[in-house]
Amino acid sequence: MTTVGEFMTTRLVTMDGNDTLTAAAQEMRDSAIGDVVVTDGDNVVGIVTDRDITVRGVAENMDPSTTRLNQITSKDVVTVSQYDDAVAAADLMRTYAVRRLPVIDDGRLVGLVSMGDLAVEREPQSVLADISADEPNN
């Protein structure tokens, strides 16, 4: 059994739900990532992606410099443990139609697992795995 902890991403960027969309977009750009984990203190309250900023924020005419992450964050966060089976994590993604799962250990955020991470681990010859394993081109 392959566990989530064996291939999860531990290079995480977290931001407070009161941070602005502009601040999140700048952090994503500077860190060459496509998402930030949104927290309230030590609690994970959601994930905001670059697509969320575009579709839920900018496309809805929200001002990115004043709109807060908690205004566009989905509140129903599905999480996994680093000891959970990779197949179970993939099933959760399918069931809840999410592409990323925060990894929680004793109530603390320790990682993030994405569809790309799963593809690299479970189907290394797939196109998604190939794309996910490449260095960012931005």
Side-chain angles (χ1 to χ4, degrees):
M1 172 178 92
T2 302
T3 64
V4 169
E6 294 175 52
F7 62 91
M8 69 184 182
T9 299
T10 57
R11 192 189 93 184
L12 301 171
V13 174
T14 62
M15 296 187 77
D16 187 86
N18 289 314
D19 288 329
T20 65
L21 303 188
T22 298
Q26 290 169 340
E27 183 64 44
M28 289 179 201
R29 178 200 60 207
D30 295 346
S31 299
I33 56 175
D35 59 81
V36 295
V37 179
V38 181
T39 58
D40 180 9
D42 290 334
N43 297 321
V44 174
V45 296
I47 298 174
V48 170
T49 66
D50 45 7
R51 185 175 190 281
D52 293 331
I53 291 171
T54 303
V55 173
R56 293 182 181 171
V58 176
E60 294 296 326
N61 293 318
M62 294 179 169
D63 181 351
S65 65
T66 59
T67 302
R68 307 293 174 197
L69 293 177
N70 59 19
Q71 291 176 256
I72 67 165
T73 302
S74 297
K75 302 299 181 199
D76 299 324
V77 182
V78 181
T79 64
V80 292
S81 160
Q82 63 183 328
Y83 306 107
D84 286 342
D85 179 53
V87 174
D91 288 343
L92 280 174
M93 288 180 184
R94 184 179 305 112
T95 299
Y96 292 97
V98 295
R99 297 177 183 188
R100 295 165 185 84
L101 298 171
V103 182
I104 307 295
D105 186 27
D106 289 330
R108 191 173 61 88
L109 178 67
V110 296
L112 187 74
V113 62
S114 69
M115 280 184 9
D117 296 330
L118 283 168
V120 169
E121 175 62 30
R122 306 289 299 163
E123 298 178 26
Q125 303 305 316
S126 70
V127 173
L128 179 57
D130 191 42
I131 292 168
S132 298
D134 275 349
E135 291 295 317
N137 64 359
N138 52 357

